Amino acid sequence: MPSGSADAATQKRPQADHPLAFDSSAKWERSAKIGLRPEPFGALAYHFDTRRLVFLKSAVLVQLVDGLVDHDSADAAIEAIVEPTDDRSRQAHVKALASLAEAGVIEPVTTAISSVG
Amino acid sequence: MTATQSSPLTLISKSASTKTQAVPPLVEQLKGGLDAPICLTWELTYACNLACVHCLSSSGRRDPKELTTAEALAVVDELADLQVFYVNLGGGEPMLRKDFLDIVDHAVSRNVGVKFSTNGYYIDKAAAERFAATDLLDIQISLDGFDAETNDAVRGKGSWEAARRAMDNLADANFGEFKISIVATRHNVDQLDDYKKMADEYGAQLRVTRLRPSGRGVDSYQDLRLTHPQQQQIFRWIMDHPDVLTGDSFFHLNALGKDTGETLPGLSMCGAGRIVCLIDPIGDVYACPFVIHDEFMAGNVRDTGGFASVWRESDLFQELREPGAAGACASCNAYEACGGGCMAAKFFTGIPLDGPDPDCALGHADEAVAAASAAGVVPQPSQDHSRRPVTLGAKPS
């Protein structure tokens, strides 16, 4: 019996693929496994591996997710894109990014170890 | 296929909570509708080898007007263009369509994920291996009783064994985390712990959804629906098992959490025509899978403009996106929690759409349901593809 509504389970178990705590001083980027669909409230993000659907609840958060890759750290991206006026706004965006990291929407950019020679 | 490929639609913004939460503006925006559905159910055929007594689409015989292969593939293309991330395929039994794999493969190739619901009869070893090798594919096997007696009374003789065989084959093929899907009835609600153990043993995910009085469920609803004590029981069970999927289908029970501030996981809203809809086998688009009735038919994918026009412009869907009135529930202090419940359940029990859900956990619909039933004013589904009269089997003791 198919269901018409969205399955919306909370996952209490740890996400094995994303065990890292969120470090806002590191460089992050939008995961290649993510589909983003623009919506009036921001965007819907869908993770094709975990099948999780995530709501990005503001346009600026969408810009931030897309713009992370252009900055050396998440902190720098927040300063440049969100232009927070106070610490509270700054912290709110760090927290939002931490949630998105937990859901696998964004991933840390691992610097490739270049071979010497 | 990775081990984490299941668990559809986890909402980062809302989770099982023991604190009262203000309704986020996001939900209000979702109620106003989106440019494309978040989640779409597409019944591929009315043909079915089973004749479940609660079948929401009254399936059995194939309809001669069902979409052709070319038309079905065109629908996939349209969904891909709309960025519908995944589609729930069902029926009937979707695997009875000869082009089932063509449709699945085309969807996957267009990056539209597929979850399909099946009774499992046709998942033999070869099929299980084929599915295990297909990316972006999720399988949901229906099992409406933990034991054969309970299940077969609802789904027909032999259906329990077939479902278990399919699960064995998927496990043997290392498919990964498939889903075991249960429609909660008064006969299986005591078995949920057993089901959970079974799912864990298979490495599968459990999905428990609400019985609706839709399709043939119009006739079996009174025999299968949960009692009030069982509503309490399942509310508690779901709160205690946040890893079990529910299709967001029990939000009407949130009235039970009004004093403690507890809410079930999910958006707690009716998504019909707002974030979900149904495409039936002949291309008709309905507000949700549980309202296959002329009154809730918005258009057809064969119409000019296709599915997108129906979704965006149909009068019916526009209407459903308007803010609803609390109606008879306005004076109830639980209305904020349950939102008045399920439109389909009200419609097929003869209750006005602004009245209480027939399964109102506070009992506010009990009299109205009994009255509508006694007066014989319960609407019948507009279409019926049943093969023969379907009756409830021997009830488990």
Side-chain angles (χ1 to χ4, degrees), chain B residues 137 145 269 272 301 318:
Chain B
L137 180 65
M269 60 172 267
V301 299
Q318 298 290 338

Side-chain angles (χ1 to χ4, degrees), chain A residues 64 71 74-84 87 90:
Chain A
L64 178 60
H71 298 271
D75 289 328
I78 290 171
E79 292 305 321
I81 296 166
V82 182
E83 299 180 16
D87 261 356
R90 200 170 280 121

